[in-house]
Structures are given as structure tokens and as C-alpha cells.
Amino acid sequence: MKPPKENPVLWNINGYQLQINHPNKLYWPEDKISKLALLTYYKEMAATLLPYFKNRPVTLHYFPRGIHNFSFYRRNFDQKTNSPIQTVDYQEVSQDKTIQLPLIHTEEGLLWLVSKGCIEFHLWSAKAIDFLHPDMAIFDLDIGNNTPFNKVLKAALVTRDYLKKQGIVVYPKTTGGTGIHLYVPIKPIYDFKTVRMWVKSVGGRLSKMYPELVTTEKSGRKTHQGNRVTIDYSQNSIGRNTAAPYTVRAYRLAPVSTPLHWYEVEKGGFKPTDFNLKNLPARIAKEGDLFEGTLKNQQQLPVE
DNA sequence: GGCCGGC
DNA sequence: GCCGGCCAACGCTTT
DNA sequence: AAAGCG
Ligand SMILES: [Mn+2]
Ligand SMILES: [Mn+2]
């Protein structure tokens, strides 16, 4: 007894005929969230999300059978099939190979990828075609499994306070997972190593000021940094990527990487899953797009 | 989810 | 025709 | 040198 065949759904997106197969397939079975619900989320959020994708290569994370089944990353799009996305050539660093990175500039491009099983979008921190000079410095705040979320919020606050004294504005968002991302938009005039070393040095200062709270070392060691927040500066490298603002994550409750007010970080009392596929559109309608500043306020690193 | 190569 | 493999990789750290 | 890691 096969289940009755499910009819595809057709959406017309700016004149592009998008065919959605298995629209009712449950990508999040426990949460009863379907493929069509995921597409609906990205359709509602497209206008907010697309500016962050402009000219920025994206690494895709696909889960074509839902969040509990196999997944794969994809960042190379050989431009042969008729696809509604653009690509840009990229010469890999340690392979002698040129690949074509996807650029998502349209709603139909975004939804086409989702219709093929993509759930998560991860962005590079440099734009095409100057891949050597990032326009974001990213403080990737990571914690282990038994560290409370409010500790990573504390670390975010001391990072903000430290940088504020240097006149630098920082934008926070949830990752959708257990950590926090802090973005410092910068002029694309520094190479990755410079940005990476700057983030590392800020992390180093903070670890001296708050040794129980912050470290820049990976927390594999058994003794020592058990419950500290790691500032993972290595994220600031060419070809590395970070969960995009407003991307859905393939975790229980379909959390979304959500830009925050600083007063929300100060107040705490929330979980990352409180910001999710179901409630993000309403939050944006009410609060607006809290990451807009990252598109405009390109700063310079302090001279020291 | 879909392409591609081997059988 | 069908099946299985494949779809990421930079810069560090550890072994 | 190779493997592991986020
Ligand atoms: Mn992280
Ligand atoms: Mn990390």
C-alpha cells in the first residue's frame, strides 16, 4: 500500500514557474513542519533576506529527506542547467581548481534552491569578486553542551562594551544553534588574516579581563576552559561561511538565525528556539530588520 | 533532490 | 534502465 | 605527514 501520490504545487514567482514536489513532506516531523511551510517562510522573508545575499557567495546545506536524514553541503554550481541563480568563478586556495559559486539575487532563485531540499544558507564574509577582503568581521561565540545560554549572552555584552570604547558598533544575532554571532561591518580593505588576527586579539584581551567567561582556545581540553565561551576567530577566513541572517536551521523547532536588539541580549530570558520559522515574519513586522546597519555602517579597524 | 558514470 | 557515488574545504591543532 | 575540527 503506497500512500496516494501527492500532487506537485506550482508557484508563479515573478514569472518563474516553480514546481514544488512533495509539498506536504514533513521536514520537521515532530514539529509538523512541511516542505511547503519552509518555502512559505522563505517567500515571506525574501524581501528582508535578499539584501544580505547580494553579491555574496553562499554555501548551501541540503536536507532533501528532512532534518533527521542525510544532508550535504554544496558550493559549486556548474552553470549548465537552466537555473534561476547566478554564479561567479572562484579559484580555490589549496586546489588547482576553479569552481562556480552561487549568488542568490532573486526570490525565484532562493525558492528554487529550497524546492530542491536546501534548508540552511551560509554566507561568505567577502563579496564577489574581491574574495580576499571581507566586509564583515565576525565574532563567532561558541559554547559547549553544558554551558548555559545566558553565559554566551554575557560574553556578547562584554565584547560589545569593549568595542564600544573604541567607537565600534556591533550587531548581534542568534545562530539558531547554541551560540551567538556578533557582526562588525567593515570597509573591505583588510585581508582575512588582518581581520582574523584583530578578532583574535580582541578575544585575547577579553579572556584576560574575564578569564572565567571567555577564551580564544578551542574547548577540547579536559581541564581548564570547561564552561567558557570560545571566540572562534578562525571563522574569518577565505571560503569559510557563517549561517546567514534569517536562515532557518535544520534543528528541532526550526530555529532562525535572528538579529537581536541589544536590550534583548541584556535582558536574556529567552532560548534560541524562541525565534523560529513560525514566528519570525511577525517579529520582523513588529521590530523591523535589526541587521540593516550591517549593510551601511562599514567601519574601520582601530589603528593600535 | 538530481546529475553522472558504470554496468 | 538502474544503481551508487557525489554534492565543502581553510587554517589551525593534535597525533 | 596525516588526521581532526569548526
Ligand atoms: Mn558558532
Ligand atoms: Mn565556530
Side-chain angles (χ1 to χ4, degrees):
Chain A
M1 273 307 254
K2 280 182 202 164
K5 190 179 170 189
E6 201 187 346
N7 288 326
V9 169
L10 294 176
W11 278 2
N12 186 316
I13 311 293
N14 301 323
Y16 182 87
Q17 201 67 10
L18 182 73
Q19 176 168 328
I20 302 162
N21 295 320
H22 310 291
N24 298 322
K25 183 194 292 178
L26 290 180
Y27 273 8
W28 285 261
E30 298 85 356
D31 307 314
K32 304 270 190 288
I33 297 170
S34 67
K35 178 179 180 179
L36 193 65
L38 179 67
L39 277 150
T40 301
Y41 167 84
Y42 277 117
K43 180 169 171 45
E44 289 182 315
M45 296 296 292
T48 304
L49 170 151
L50 283 173
Y52 300 98
F53 284 54
K54 174 118 197 205
N55 288 331
R56 206 177 286 285
V58 55
T59 299
L60 309 160
H61 198 177
Y62 289 80
F63 298 76
R65 308 292 239 122
I67 67 167
H68 297 309
N69 287 90
F70 71 93
S71 73
F72 58 91
Y73 290 88
R74 182 174 186 184
R75 71 171 195 176
N76 184 7
F77 258 83
D78 319 316
Q79 194 69 311
K80 38 186 77 163
T81 47
N82 268 14
S83 76
I85 58 166
Q86 294 179 225
T87 61
V88 59
D89 282 356
Y90 168 69
Q91 173 72 50
E92 290 186 329
V93 171
S94 33
Q95 257 87 351
D96 183 23
K97 200 171 43 157
T98 298
I99 61 175
Q100 288 156 275
L101 305 172
L103 302 174
I104 305 173
H105 286 159
T106 63
E107 182 180 342
E108 57 271 28
L110 177 70
L111 298 183
W112 178 73
L113 292 164
V114 178
S115 80
K116 304 277 183 228
C118 182
I119 292 180
E120 300 188 353
F121 296 88
H122 297 250
L123 294 174
W124 293 33
S125 58
K127 287 177 156 181
I129 57 171
D130 184 6
F131 298 116
L132 299 178
H133 299 100
D135 67 342
M136 299 285 169
I138 296 173
F139 291 74
D140 173 30
L141 274 49
D142 289 337
I143 53 175
N145 282 337
N146 30 13
T147 306
F149 184 62
N150 92 310
K151 197 158 181 182
V152 77
L153 297 180
K154 279 203 181 78
L157 288 170
V158 301
T159 305
R160 174 201 61 173
D161 292 341
Y162 177 81
L163 292 174
K164 189 175 186 178
K165 285 180 196 141
Q166 309 187 31
I168 293 173
V169 180
V170 185
Y171 298 85
K173 70 177 176 73
T174 66
T175 66
T178 56
I180 284 284
H181 290 151
L182 303 179
Y183 279 36
V184 177
I186 54 174
K187 292 181 163 61
I189 57 176
Y190 311 98
D191 63 21
F192 270 105
K193 184 165 192 184
T194 301
V195 173
R196 186 165 64 248
M197 291 303 108
W198 177 69
V199 172
K200 182 179 184 179
S201 80
V202 170
R205 297 288 182 83
L206 291 168
S207 73
K208 286 240 188 315
M209 295 164 67
Y210 308 95
E212 302 304 308
L213 179 61
V214 174
T215 179
T216 54
E217 310 301 322
K218 307 286 189 185
S219 51
R221 283 275 79 87
K222 310 197 190 297
T223 42
H224 271 334
Q225 57 246 46
N227 274 8
R228 290 193 280 174
V229 177
T230 300
I231 295 184
D232 180 7
Y233 55 86
S234 74
Q235 204 75 359
N236 299 282
S237 303
I238 187 170
R240 296 286 300 274
N241 48 78
T242 304
Y246 304 112
T247 187
V248 177
R249 306 306 302 272
Y251 308 143
R252 284 291 309 277
L253 301 172
V256 167
S257 182
T258 304
L260 300 170
H261 290 292
W262 273 112
Y263 66 72
E264 293 174 308
V265 180
E266 289 163 4
K267 186 171 178 201
F270 62 91
K271 304 184 294 297
T273 50
D274 290 345
F275 304 108
N276 55 55
L277 173 150
K278 287 195 190 301
N279 62 25
L280 243 283
R283 174 181 167 87
I284 297 312
K286 181 161 183 279
E287 309 288 344
D289 174 12
L290 304 180
F291 238 40
E292 269 187 322
T294 65
L295 296 172
K296 301 169 184 165
N297 184 18
Q298 294 197 323
Q299 303 168 85
Q300 288 179 255
L301 302 185
V303 274
E304 307 237 357

